[in-house]
Amino acid sequence: MADLVRRLAVARGDEPADLVVRGGRVLSVFTREWLETDIAIAEGYVAGLGDYEGTEEVDATGRYVVPGFVDAHMHLESPKLLPDEFARLVLPLGTTAVVADPHELANVLGTDGVHWLLDFCAELPLDVYFMASSSVPASRFESPRRALNEGDLQGLLRRRRVLGLAEMMNFPGVIAGDEDELTKLGLTGATHVDGHAPGVVGKQLNAYAAAGIRSDHEARTVEEGRERLRVGMWVLIREASMARNLQALLPLVEEYGTSRIAFCTDDKDPDDIAENGHINGMVRDAVAAGIAPEDALVLGSLNPALWHGLDHLGALAPGYQADVLLLPDLESFRPEVVLKRGRPVEEIARSEVPEWVKHTVRIGPVAAERFRIVWPNEAKARVIGLVPDQVVTESLVEEPTVRDGEAVADPPRDLAKIAVIERHLGTGRVGLGFVRGFGLERGALGSTVAHDAHNLVVVGTNDADMARVVEQLGELGGGIVAVDDGEVLAELPLPVGGLLADLPLAEVVERSRACTEAAARLGCRGATPFLTMSFLALSVIPSLKITDQGLVDVDRFELVPLEANDLDHKAG
C-alpha cells in the first residue's frame, strides 16, 4: 500500500520521482506513437508521462525509449545455462521477462526439479513466469523418470508465478477427447492454456480450440496461422535456433495487424543468442523484412504480456512495471541502457546448485554390439528424413545398406544410424533406426538433451564411435559430445539434470560453439546439429520420430517397426 501511495503522489507531481528518463522518444504501444515526453518512475513502476522532477535522471536524448521484451513461450533449459547465467545473457539484449515451460527438467527430475527451478528463479532480476508442464511424458511412447499426475500439476498451479497449463502436446489425445487430457484441462487454475498443434487444421483444429486451448507456437505456414487466428487462437510466432518460422509467418502481421500475435523463441542455443540476439533479434529481423518498427516492438513486448495476463508488463504507461530500454536506432534493436524495475541491472550473484539435481544419467556399459541391426534380405527400412530448419521430419522408406546380414550406416548415401537409450531408470532399453539429412561423413554425435523425455540420443556412422559417445556422456553425467575414431573432439558437460551446465556463460557459449564446429568437421549440415538431433526423439511432432521404445509414426500415433512395407510409406 505504501508503494502505491507514493506512486500516486509522484504521478500527481506532489513528490519527486525516484528516477526520470528524460529527453527520449517514448513508444506508446497502445497508439503506436512516439511521444516526446519524460517518464517518471517510483518504486519500480511508471508513475507518469510528462514533465516531472526526480531524484535521479537518465538522459535519453536522441534515443528511442521502449518497454522491455517479453518471451511468450520458451524452455529455460534449452540454452543449457543455469537461470542466473541465462539472465546475464538476455537482460543486456532487452529481454526483461520470459514465460517458461519447465517440462525438460520435469521429465528428468519430476516436480521436485520444477519446484527447485521456481525457487532458483525467484530472486533473479529477470522476471521468470512458468506454465505447469501438462505433458510429462509428451506421449505414451516416451520414457521420463516418472509421469506427472493430477496432484503434481495441481501443486504447481498453486505456485505464485505459475500462470496456467503449459503446451498440451498430446494433441491427438485432446482432439479425441481422451479422459486423461481433459482432466488436466479441468484442473483448478488451468483456465489459461498454451497449445501445441503441429499441422492440425480443419475440424481437428476446431476440436483442439474447443477444448479451451487458446495459443499455438507450431504454425509453420500462413495458412496454418490464418486458421488459428480465425478460431480465436493466439499465434505465437517462433524463431528458435532450429524451427525458424518468423519469415514465413510475418505476412500474417501485414494481413491482419498485430492482434493476437506475439513473438517467442521456444528453444535457442546459447551461442545463437550470443551471436544473433533473443527477442530483440526477432524484432530486428521483422523490421528488416518490412514490418513497421512500432508493430514489431508490440509483438515483442505488449502482446506476449497480454496473452499471459501479465497486466503490469509490456508498456511504458502509468501503473506498468518500469522495464525500460533505450535504443540508439530502430535497426539493430540492441539497447544501450536496460532498466529493470526502474534501476540498472546490477551484477547477478552466482547461485549454488544442490547435488541432488545432478547424477541423472543411469546407464550401464553399452558395447558397440548393442547398436547392431540384424537385417532380413531385401526388406526395406523406415528412415527419419530431416527437414532443414524445422522440427518436423519426413517418414521415408529406403533400402538399407546390408553387410554380413546387418543393416549399417552408409555416409555416401547420407544414411546415419540413430539410437535412443533410456537413461533415467537403468532399464537398458534402446531404440534403433536410421536418419537421412545430417550429412555425417564419419564419427558420431550424442546428447542427453533429447526432447522431451531427455533420454540419451546418439547419431553415428559406426557402432564403435556411437558406443564411445555413450561412454563419455555417462562419465560426464550428461552433456553433448562429438567423437571421431574413438577420440572426443568436443564436449559440453551438462551435469544438472543432464540438461544444464554449471559453468560460466562465456565458457558454455565457447564449448557449445566448439561442439557445433566439431560436428561440421564430421560433415554435418545445418547450423544446429545437436538441437536437430534432440528433436528426433520428440514423439508429438510429425512425422517419424524415435524413442527408447522404438520408431514412432506420429501421423498414426503408434509405434512402428524399423522394417517397412513400402506401399504404406513415402519412398525416399
Side-chain angles (χ1 to χ4, degrees):
M1 180 68 75
D3 287 354
L4 179 57
V5 169
R6 167 150 168 73
R7 191 193 315 160
L8 296 179
V10 172
R12 294 191 304 266
D14 296 341
E15 295 184 15
D18 298 332
L19 182 141
V20 174
V21 180
R22 196 179 301 284
R25 301 183 66 195
V26 179
L27 176 65
S28 169
V29 292
F30 307 111
T31 64
R32 310 296 200 274
E33 297 174 281
W34 292 99
L35 307 175
E36 303 282 351
T37 190
D38 300 334
I39 303 174
I41 297 171
E43 307 298 335
Y45 280 75
V46 176
L49 305 179
D51 185 13
Y52 286 94
E53 297 301 320
T55 304
E56 296 181 56
E57 291 188 1
V58 170
D59 183 6
T61 303
R63 303 294 183 263
Y64 297 90
V65 186
V66 304
F69 298 125
V70 182
D71 192 336
H73 170 77
M74 57 88 67
H75 301 283
L76 204 56
E77 305 92 332
S78 291
K80 306 178 185 68
L81 298 163
L82 287 171
D84 54 348
E85 294 291 350
F86 177 71
R88 290 185 187 92
L89 177 59
V90 300
L91 277 167
L93 302 175
T95 298
T96 53
V98 301
V99 179
D101 173 3
H103 70 210
E104 324 298 356
L105 208 59
N107 271 274
V108 178
L109 294 172
T111 48
D112 288 346
V114 178
H115 285 294
W116 168 75
L117 192 64
L118 264 75
D119 293 340
F120 191 106
C121 295
E123 301 303 319
L124 291 178
L126 176 72
D127 285 331
V128 183
Y129 296 90
F130 290 86
M131 302 288 276
S133 302
S134 68
S135 303
V136 179
S139 79
R140 63 183 181 273
F141 312 121
E142 298 191 21
S143 305
R145 181 179 182 184
R146 73 170 180 86
L148 298 194
N149 58 36
E150 296 169 31
D152 294 326
L153 290 176
Q154 201 68 78
L156 291 172
L157 287 165
R158 284 195 288 266
R159 292 291 299 258
R160 184 173 65 87
R161 287 200 168 219
V162 176
L163 306 177
L165 208 56
E167 54 181 315
M168 294 293 293
M169 302 186 74
N170 186 359
F171 60 92
V174 173
I175 293 166
D178 179 85
E179 182 178 353
D180 289 342
E181 299 305 315
L182 299 190
T183 297
K184 295 173 188 176
L185 292 170
L187 293 172
T188 302
T191 55
H192 178 61
V193 188
D194 266 329
H196 166 107
V200 177
V201 295
K203 291 182 178 179
Q204 289 197 327
L205 183 64
N206 286 339
Y208 194 70
I213 299 168
R214 293 287 181 261
S215 80
D216 188 22
H217 59 275
E218 294 290 345
R220 296 193 301 128
T221 67
V222 168
E223 291 75 18
E224 289 180 352
R226 190 181 289 126
E227 273 204 61
R228 281 149 179 74
L229 291 173
R230 286 173 176 169
V231 299
M233 298 178 77
W234 279 74
V235 173
L236 307 184
I237 297 180
R238 169 180 58 191
E239 188 74 354
S241 290
M242 181 182 172
R244 300 180 181 272
N245 307 128
L246 179 68
Q247 298 300 329
L249 296 180
L250 283 178
L252 291 172
V253 181
E254 297 172 339
E255 186 173 354
Y256 297 112
T258 60
S259 179
R260 302 183 82 82
I261 302 174
F263 284 163
C264 74
T265 64
D266 201 6
D267 298 283
K268 280 185 85 72
D269 283 332
D271 42 332
D272 184 11
I273 298 173
E275 293 170 9
N276 301 308
H278 197 240
I279 295 295
N280 69 316
M282 294 187 69
V283 173
R284 177 196 65 224
D285 292 347
V287 172
I291 301 299
E294 299 79 8
D295 287 342
L297 287 163
V298 164
L299 293 168
S301 57
L302 176 66
N303 281 12
L306 285 176
W307 159 234
H308 287 295
L310 298 171
D311 296 335
H312 64 301
L313 298 181
L316 297 179
Y320 282 80
Q321 187 167 288
D323 295 343
V324 186
L325 312 181
L326 271 60
L327 304 176
D329 55 56
L330 296 179
E331 295 176 357
S332 68
F333 293 94
R334 192 175 186 100
E336 289 183 342
V337 174
V338 176
L339 301 179
K340 183 62 184 162
R341 303 184 192 99
R343 307 300 304 175
V345 178
E346 298 179 352
E347 179 62 30
I348 303 170
R350 293 264 309 166
S351 300
E352 295 297 321
V353 177
E355 283 299 309
W356 67 266
V357 301
K358 303 179 182 181
H359 315 297
T360 62
V361 180
R362 301 176 180 92
I363 53 175
V366 178
E369 290 74 23
R370 190 65 183 84
F371 300 105
R372 291 179 59 202
I373 301 176
V374 178
W375 202 252
N377 291 331
E378 300 182 359
K380 292 186 177 181
R382 288 179 171 87
V383 174
I384 300 169
L386 299 186
V387 177
D389 296 328
Q390 298 299 334
V391 292
V392 298
T393 65
E394 294 180 299
S395 180
L396 307 176
V397 168
E398 301 278 353
E399 291 185 1
T401 299
V402 180
R403 298 193 188 112
D404 300 324
E406 293 181 28
V408 297
D410 191 344
R413 296 177 58 201
D414 197 10
L415 280 180
K417 192 177 287 187
I418 183 169
V420 176
I421 302 168
E422 194 279 322
R423 71 158 171 111
H424 303 300
L425 302 175
T427 63
R429 193 165 48 242
V430 179
L432 295 171
F434 291 97
V435 60
R436 161 166 281 177
F438 263 101
L440 198 62
E441 297 170 359
R442 62 185 192 278
L445 310 175
S447 174
T448 52
V449 179
H451 300 277
D452 269 345
H454 297 289
N455 288 302
L456 193 156
V457 61
V458 56
V459 172
T461 61
N462 66 85
D463 297 348
D465 279 344
M466 294 175 73
R468 180 69 183 94
V469 163
V470 175
E471 177 186 38
Q472 186 67 13
L473 287 171
E475 292 179 3
L476 292 175
I480 60 176
V481 171
V483 165
D484 184 26
D485 197 22
E487 177 187 355
V488 176
L489 302 182
E491 64 185 24
L492 170 58
L494 302 174
V496 181
L499 301 171
L500 304 174
D502 57 359
L503 299 169
L505 168 62
E507 189 171 350
V508 175
V509 170
E510 180 183 352
R511 285 178 174 245
S512 178
R513 188 177 292 126
C515 288
T516 300
E517 291 171 352
R521 292 197 302 274
L522 295 177
C524 275
R525 297 190 294 267
T528 58
F530 290 95
L531 194 58
T532 299
M533 181 172 60
S534 74
F535 277 105
L536 297 182
L538 182 52
S539 63
V540 290
I541 292 184
S543 282
L544 187 63
K545 296 299 175 77
I546 185 170
T547 73
D548 60 299
Q549 301 179 38
L551 287 174
V552 182
D553 186 324
V554 183
D555 300 320
R556 299 179 179 184
F557 216 55
E558 64 184 16
L559 291 169
V560 293
L562 181 55
E563 185 179 339
N565 181 337
D566 60 352
L567 297 179
D568 295 333
H569 291 263
K570 178 182 175 182

